[in-house]
Amino acid sequence: MENPFTHEYFMKKALQEAEVAFEQGEIPVGAIIVVENRVIARTHNLTELLNDVTAHAEMQAITSAANFIGGKYLKGCTLYVTLEPCQMCAGALYWSQISKIVFGARDDQRGFMSMGTKLHPKTEVVSGVLAQEAADLMLRFFASKRK
Amino acid sequence: MENPFTHEYFMKKALQEAEVAFEQGEIPVGAIIVVENRVIARTHNLTELLNDVTAHAEMQAITSAANFIGGKYLKGCTLYVTLEPCQMCAGALYWSQISKIVFGARDDQRGFMSMGTKLHPKTEVVSGVLAQEAADLMLRFFASKRK
């Protein structure tokens, strides 16, 4: 039997969160955190609602997962996020020592890769999972804002 | 009459917050945010209490100040923080577009300067204000932990 728990499987859940953000007028980024194929955090960007630049999907996912685990380190966890994390979120992920980061679309302007933010040496990165879907959602969002 | 509202005046308040963190077993970092000589946020590191790597003093100061202002951008605001901000906090400060960052002690290992994190182009940085006091507090904390 094929393993149903693929990166695409979990990224679809992150995309569902991004859709919720979109509907609420937030820049549509969604994130989930998974440990042993179990989703322990499910969040989306809330910067507009909370009037808070720190309320990115990833930040809330880290806080939520740590709360679930009862400890602040996310070893053994995988973050799925629809957009490449920014400096702030990558910096938070550095502190969390998370095992894996899987992201969808690249963010060449503000993403941690072009900005040069350092992750924890033990953190593995996978990029480009359902990237087109995530990028399309962002484009659709900004197009709707320009109307 | 001399202006009483010097960088040292406000950094002393941030150091008081760091002392509170110390007493609570937190890595002793304190922060305040000031607008027109008025303190609008006063926070300290809470990563142990909250079991959350994102609970640095600066992150909470940003959230708290935005809440006070009722908007997410901190233009016209100055952050005073006892230790050089890390990548995460510098990344959050980038998004906040804060006008000025005044910090005490350098953090050559994990500070944003050596890590290469980018601030908003309009953000001014002042370093070394009561640096010795902030560094002494950190040294005293880690010495007490080794006992």
Side-chain angles (χ1 to χ4, degrees):
Chain A
M1 191 183 131
E2 235 181 317
N3 176 16
F5 299 116
T6 60
H7 285 334
E8 284 74 16
Y9 172 85
F10 289 115
M11 189 60 84
K12 271 184 194 154
K13 294 188 187 297
L15 275 166
Q16 285 165 4
E17 283 295 318
E19 293 271 6
V20 176
F22 185 109
E23 285 158 23
Q24 295 175 353
E26 301 280 355
I27 294 179
V29 181
I32 66 165
I33 291 180
V34 174
V35 58
E36 290 174 3
N37 293 328
R38 183 173 171 197
V39 178
I40 62 166
R42 186 186 287 265
T43 56
H44 58 80
N45 179 33
L46 284 174
T47 48
E48 293 303 318
L49 179 72
L50 300 181
N51 248 331
D52 185 349
V53 297
T54 75
H56 284 191
E58 302 94 313
M59 300 301 285
Q60 295 176 80
I62 293 167
T63 298
S64 178
N67 196 41
F68 179 88
I69 289 169
K72 61 184 186 291
Y73 298 114
L74 304 181
K75 291 173 197 171
C77 295
T78 300
L79 170 78
Y80 290 86
V81 58
T82 57
L83 185 69
E84 180 185 343
C86 73
Q87 300 186 112
M88 169 180 70
C89 295
L93 291 161
Y94 169 94
W95 289 121
S96 79
Q97 302 182 26
I98 197 161
S99 293
K100 200 182 287 192
I101 299 169
V102 182
F103 72 82
R106 283 290 298 263
D107 181 356
D108 290 330
Q109 291 271 308
R110 307 284 178 82
F112 78 97
M113 293 184 130
S114 51
M115 300 287 264
T117 316
K118 283 156 203 78
L119 295 176
H120 191 273
K122 287 190 182 158
T123 302
E124 186 191 336
V125 177
V126 177
S127 66
V129 176
L130 302 185
Q132 197 57 56
E133 287 82 344
D136 285 350
L137 195 61
M138 292 288 279
L139 289 172
R140 197 147 55 81
F141 178 79
F142 289 111
S144 77
K145 287 287 167 188
R146 276 194 298 270
K147 265 179 203 157
Chain B
M1 190 184 131
E2 236 182 313
N3 176 16
F5 299 116
T6 60
H7 285 333
E8 284 74 16
Y9 172 86
F10 289 115
M11 189 61 83
K12 272 184 194 154
K13 295 187 187 297
L15 276 166
Q16 285 166 6
E17 283 296 318
E19 292 270 7
V20 175
F22 185 109
E23 285 158 23
Q24 296 175 353
E26 302 280 354
I27 295 179
V29 181
I32 66 165
I33 291 182
V34 174
V35 57
E36 291 175 1
N37 292 329
R38 183 174 170 196
V39 178
I40 63 166
R42 185 188 288 265
T43 56
H44 58 80
N45 179 33
L46 284 174
T47 48
E48 293 304 317
L49 179 71
L50 300 181
N51 249 333
D52 185 349
V53 297
T54 74
H56 284 191
E58 301 94 312
M59 301 300 284
Q60 295 177 79
I62 293 167
T63 298
S64 178
N67 196 41
F68 179 89
I69 289 168
K72 63 182 183 294
Y73 299 113
L74 304 182
K75 291 174 197 169
C77 294
T78 300
L79 170 77
Y80 289 86
V81 58
T82 56
L83 185 70
E84 182 184 342
C86 73
Q87 299 186 113
M88 169 181 70
C89 294
L93 291 162
Y94 169 94
W95 289 120
S96 79
Q97 303 183 25
I98 198 163
S99 294
K100 200 182 288 190
I101 299 169
V102 181
F103 72 82
R106 282 291 297 264
D107 182 355
D108 291 329
Q109 291 270 308
R110 307 283 177 83
F112 78 97
M113 292 181 132
S114 51
M115 301 286 264
T117 317
K118 283 156 202 78
L119 295 175
H120 192 273
K122 288 191 179 157
T123 301
E124 185 191 338
V125 177
V126 177
S127 66
V129 175
L130 303 185
Q132 196 58 56
E133 286 83 343
D136 285 350
L137 196 60
M138 292 289 278
L139 289 172
R140 197 147 54 81
F141 178 79
F142 288 110
S144 75
K145 287 285 165 189
R146 276 194 299 270
K147 266 180 202 158

